[in-house]
Amino acid sequence: MNRFPQFVSHLAALAFCHLALEAELEAESRIWTDHQGRTLEAEFVGLEGDTVLFKSSTGATVRVELAKLSAEDQKIAASSTPAPQHITIDGEVAAAAARLDGLIQQQLQKEGLKPNPLTTDEQFLRRVYLDIAGRIPNLQEANAFLENSAPDKRAQLIDTLLDSPGYVSHLYNYMADMFRVRDPDNSRLMKADPWVEWIKQSLRDDKPYDVFAREMLTADGKLWANGATGYLLRDSGMTLDNLANTFSIFLATDVACAQCHDHPFADWTQMQFFEMAAFFGATVTQVNDSQFKNGDPMERIVGGLMELAESSGADPEQVEKARDLLGDVIAANRFEVRDIGQNYVRLPGDYKYKDGKPGEEVKPKFIRWDGEDRYNEAYRQNRNTEEKLRESFAAWMTHPTNPRFAMSIANRMWKRAFGMGVGEPIRNIDDPNATSNPALIKQLAREMLRLKFSLKNFMRVVYNTRAYQGQAIQEAIPMGAPCYFQGPLVRRMTAEQTWDSFMTLVLGNPDAYRGDDGGLLGRSIDLDLDNVTPQIVASKLDGFKRAEEMAAARRGGGLDMASSGASAAPSPAQGKVLEYGGYKLLRAAELEQPAPEGHFLREFGQGDRNLIDGNHTEGSQPQ
C-alpha cells in the first residue's frame, strides 16, 4: 500500500487504516471535505457504524469518523450505496475482518451502543506487543513504529510480530496453561521438556490446530522420542480424567460430572461418558511388568549391573548410588503410550442405571449434540479395530463438520485478544445461540475452517479488526453479563507478560536466550527395557551424568546490575544462562514448567498447572 498525501495523514490519525483492502468499485471518485476544510479524493466504500470507509486514489482504504466530515458530505455518505466489490487475494484479511466488525456493529446497534474510539498509536503499540509477543516493546522497536508514517504500519507491525519468536513464546505460555504442561510428580527423571519443545516447534511451523490436536491424541512411544505423547502422559493412568479434560479443552463441553452419574445440568449420561472413554480403553500410558517380553526389567538388569561393577572393581558406595539412579531411569522408561489390543474400559462397580450393569464392557460410541448429527460426516468413523480407536476419536473430534471443535478454539483465540469470549465460560459452550453474539461466534468458527486451522492467520484477522483496535472498555462487566466488544476489555498483565517485560528491560532482546537442553537428558536415559544389557545400562548412566554436568555448565552466567554495562543489553555468551539474585534471566517459556513455588511468576498468577486455564491476574498480599 502506497503512502497517502500529507493532507490525508491527519484523517488517518483520526481513524487509522489498518486493513489492506483492495476492491474494484464501480463508483467514481469525488472530493470529500472534513469539517476543517481539508479534502480527500476518494471513492465511497461503505459505512461501519459511525465510520466511513473510502478507497483513495492510491488504492488504499482509509477510515474517517462520519462526524468529522462536513455536514453536506455526512448526508451524502449516509445516503450512499456502496458499489459491488471484488476482493482480491491481498484483501482477504481485510474482508474477513470487516465481516467480524459488521456482526459486532449489528449487535451494538441492537443494544443501543457505539464502538469505542480508535486507539492512539501509543496505545496500539503497547497493546499489540503484549498481546502478540507477550512483552512490552524495547525503545528501538517503539521508536521505529511511532516514527513510521506509512498508513498501513499497524498491519505491518501485526505481521512482523506474528512472525517473531515472541509470538511462539507467548502463545506457548497460553497453551501450557491450557494443557497443564508440567513434569510428572511421580518420576524424578521424567521431564516435560520434549513436549514443551514439540508444542513450540508446532507453533513455529504454524501447524494447523486440527493436526496439532490429532497428533497429541494419536501419538505413540516415549516422550523423548515423540514429544506429542506428552498430552496423554500428562494424565498417565487416568483415562477418565484425561477424557473429561479433552472435552473441556478441545470441544468446550463439560462432561466431568457424567464420569460419576448422569449430568445434572446437561443431556450427557454416565453411559455416554464411558462409551467415549472406550476410545482410549485399549491404550496404556505406563507399561507394567506383565507387558514386557521378559518380565520385570529391574530384576533382570540390577543383577547384571552389580556383577559388572564388582568385576571392574568399582567403589561399593558408587555402585549403590548407581543402583538408586537405575531405579529412577527404569521408572522413567515405563512411561510410554502404546495400544495393547484389548479394551479395559468397563462400567464402574456402583453403576445404577438401567442401560447397563456394573462391570459391563462398554463399546465405543460418539456422543451427538442434536438429532441432525446422525447425518454428519464427522460421525462416519471406523470403530471396529481396537488399535485404531484413538485415530477414530481424533478424526471425529477434529473433523471440519464437528459442531464444536472449530468453534471452541476460535472462541479461545478471540478471548486472548479481547479479554472475554463470545461464549463464556470458554470451556463450556453449552448453547452457541445463548452466547453474547451467536452470529459472531458462528462466523469465528467458519473463519477458522476457512483458514484451515491456522492460528496465526486467524489471529491476523482478529488483530486487524476495527473492534480490536478500538480503545479498551474501562467499565467492569458484571459476572454473567455479556460483552458486546466495543473494544477489548482493560485487564491486568499476566504473570508471564510482566516477567517477560522485565526481561526485555534487562536483556533488550530476550528471545535470544534459550533455556532447554535440546533433549539431551531424555536421550541419555532412553532404554529398550525388553532388550537392555548391563553394558548398555552402564553406558547410559555415564551419559546421564555427563548430560547433567553439561546442563550445570550452562547455568551461572552472572549479570552485574550495578555495573556500567547493566544499562546495555547483554549478549548471550557461549550458550550461558544469565542469572541474577537467584533468578534465571530467561523468558517465562524457557524456565521450569511451571516455575517453582515462591518464584515471581507464581506470586503474580502463574498456575500450578493442575487445572485447565489455571493462571490468574488477581492482586495479592505477596505481590
Side-chain angles (χ1 to χ4, degrees), residues 568-584:
S571 58
Q574 299 178 351
K576 284 280 188 179
V577 175
L578 297 177
E579 293 184 357
Y580 179 76
Y583 285 119
K584 295 178 184 177

Side-chain angles (χ1 to χ4, degrees), residues 124-146:
F124 175 79
L125 172 70
R126 182 178 185 276
R127 176 186 298 173
V128 79
Y129 262 91
L130 285 170
D131 283 352
I132 301 180
R135 62 175 177 85
I136 59 173
N138 61 36
L139 181 60
Q140 181 181 5
E141 292 165 334
N143 287 338
F145 176 76
L146 296 175

Side-chain angles (χ1 to χ4, degrees), residues 56-99:
S56 75
S57 58
T58 66
T61 300
V62 63
R63 286 171 162 77
V64 179
E65 292 181 29
L66 182 62
K68 299 297 183 181
L69 295 177
S70 66
E72 179 181 357
D73 281 357
Q74 288 185 43
K75 295 179 181 179
I76 295 174
S79 62
S80 297
T81 301
Q85 301 181 31
H86 171 69
I87 307 300
T88 67
I89 294 177
D90 292 337
E92 284 185 356
V93 172
R99 285 193 291 269

Side-chain angles (χ1 to χ4, degrees), residues 143-217:
N143 287 338
F145 176 76
L146 296 175
E147 294 170 2
N148 186 353
S149 60
D152 63 339
K153 67 178 184 178
R154 294 194 180 193
Q156 290 179 10
L157 181 58
I158 290 169
D159 288 345
T160 297
L161 292 178
L162 287 173
D163 289 332
S164 72
Y167 162 80
V168 173
S169 181
H170 186 46
L171 184 52
Y172 164 77
N173 289 332
Y174 179 83
M175 294 289 188
D177 190 37
M178 181 169 74
F179 294 130
R180 303 167 300 125
V181 175
R182 61 174 298 147
D183 297 336
D185 294 325
N186 54 348
S187 175
R188 183 173 75 87
L189 300 184
M190 187 67 179
K191 302 297 182 183
D193 295 359
W195 187 23
V196 170
E197 183 51 37
W198 181 85
I199 294 173
K200 291 178 182 176
Q201 190 58 50
S202 297
L203 299 178
R204 291 187 196 105
D205 297 339
D206 193 29
K207 181 181 293 181
Y209 184 72
D210 57 336
V211 177
F212 177 82
R214 190 161 58 245
E215 288 182 359
M216 285 194 292
L217 292 176

Side-chain angles (χ1 to χ4, degrees), residues 241-258:
D241 289 335
N242 184 261
L243 176 69
N245 291 328
T246 295
F247 267 80
S248 183
I249 292 170
F250 293 112
L251 297 171
T253 302
D254 182 3
V255 297
C257 288

Side-chain angles (χ1 to χ4, degrees), residues 79-121:
S79 62
S80 297
T81 301
Q85 301 181 31
H86 171 69
I87 307 300
T88 67
I89 294 177
D90 292 337
E92 284 185 356
V93 172
R99 285 193 291 269
L100 300 181
D101 280 324
L103 295 172
I104 292 172
Q105 182 59 33
Q106 290 176 16
Q107 190 70 24
L108 289 176
Q109 289 176 345
K110 186 184 300 183
E111 301 296 330
L113 300 171
K114 292 183 178 181
N116 289 349
L118 284 162
T119 54
T120 65
D121 276 353

Side-chain angles (χ1 to χ4, degrees), residues 493-544:
M493 292 166 64
T494 65
E496 292 85 357
Q497 286 173 322
T498 307
W499 174 264
D500 287 350
S501 293
F502 281 132
M503 292 302 99
T504 302
L505 294 173
V506 173
L507 303 173
N509 178 20
D511 295 315
Y513 297 79
R514 296 284 298 276
D516 64 84
D517 66 355
L520 184 62
L521 181 64
R523 293 195 299 273
S524 72
I525 63 172
D526 184 26
L527 292 174
D528 179 358
L529 295 180
D530 280 317
N531 301 297
V532 70
T533 65
Q535 290 78 9
I536 293 175
V537 170
S539 176
K540 285 290 183 178
L541 294 182
D542 184 56
F544 172 74

Side-chain angles (χ1 to χ4, degrees), residues 180 249 280 300 325 335 417 419 427 602 608:
R180 303 167 300 125
I249 292 170
F280 297 86
R300 287 187 286 108
L325 177 59
F335 284 93
R427 294 184 297 278
R602 296 294 294 276
D608 57 13

